[in-house]
Amino acid sequence: MPQIPDLINLALPGFVALLLLEVVLDAVMRRDLYQFKDTAASLAMGTGSVILGVVSKALAFAAYTGVHRFAIFNIGYQWWAWALLFFAEDLTYYWFHRTSHECRLFWASHVVHHSSQRYNLGTALRQTWTGFFMSFIFWLWLPLVGFPPVMVMTMQAVSLLYQFWVHTELVRHLGPLEWVMNTPSHHRVHHGSNQRYLDRNHAGVLIIWDRLFGTFEPEGEKVIYGLTKNINSYNPLRIAFHEWIDIWNDVRNAQDWKESLRCVFGPPGQRAEKSAELLPTSQTQ
Ligand SMILES: [Zn+2]
Ligand SMILES: [Zn+2]
């Protein structure tokens, strides 16, 4: 088994350096991309996520290792296996991310990342504190097919690393790269609360999955960042748990068990939609 360093921890100084560079450019260009309290909240979420990441990585690794005992194929660390895994992991990320927008149980964790009304490299670090105990289930099929757990986790880290830099307003369009890669332009759309941008562009590294599965939307009208119903809070605890609390309250007030199940597993915003005929899409919470 090759010794592969923890890429995310190695990259953290680079993340901070790029963020500071964007802050300086923002000040020079007077773009007003950053707001102190918003960035402080994002950094608090990022710090908590890194700390919890120790537990989450151990949990995922244990699960992957358990499943890998029953591997269908004996796949090693050859170059073609890395190439194959790159596509398989990116496809898995697409479905995980799409589910995180379409199923409230997963949205409760992922909403954290969408809760800022700013879009900058700080927003990239605004990460969940609660997703780790279930998100890994999406990747279990990879060790089951035969990819070694270390390889899978490394590819997940590569994807996360890639996704950092797309959180910027300062890069506009990248020509033909926009056809295949997830870019700042595509991901700005993903963070939009405009009706036409809701639940679009779930890509990790490659935008091809959105084009293939019908969730692609190019950047057109000016993006309004955040949720359709913003939480207006910089309190990390509120950012981390508000949707869980809402689910709990909705389940308690549900008329029957079917409605309870819908509150947890249905699309986000369903109760609001039911009572006020609001948006049938996830970012309504
Ligand atoms: Zn998302
Ligand atoms: Zn993002």
Side-chain angles (χ1 to χ4, degrees), residues 97 101 107 110 113-114 190 202:
H97 192 188
H101 280 258
W107 175 242
H110 186 59
H113 183 61
H114 288 272
H190 180 68
H202 301 295

Side-chain angles (χ1 to χ4, degrees), residues 29 58 62 81 93 136 153 155 161 171 200 209 236 243 251 256:
M29 296 162 81
Y93 180 84
F136 67 87
M153 295 192 74
M155 200 53 86
L161 282 184
V171 177
R200 302 284 103 181
W209 313 117
E243 183 69 10
V251 167
D256 53 31

Side-chain angles (χ1 to χ4, degrees), residues 155-167:
M155 200 53 86
Q156 284 185 279
V158 168
S159 174
L160 264 185
L161 282 184
Y162 178 84
Q163 290 176 51
F164 174 73
W165 80 281
V166 299
H167 292 84

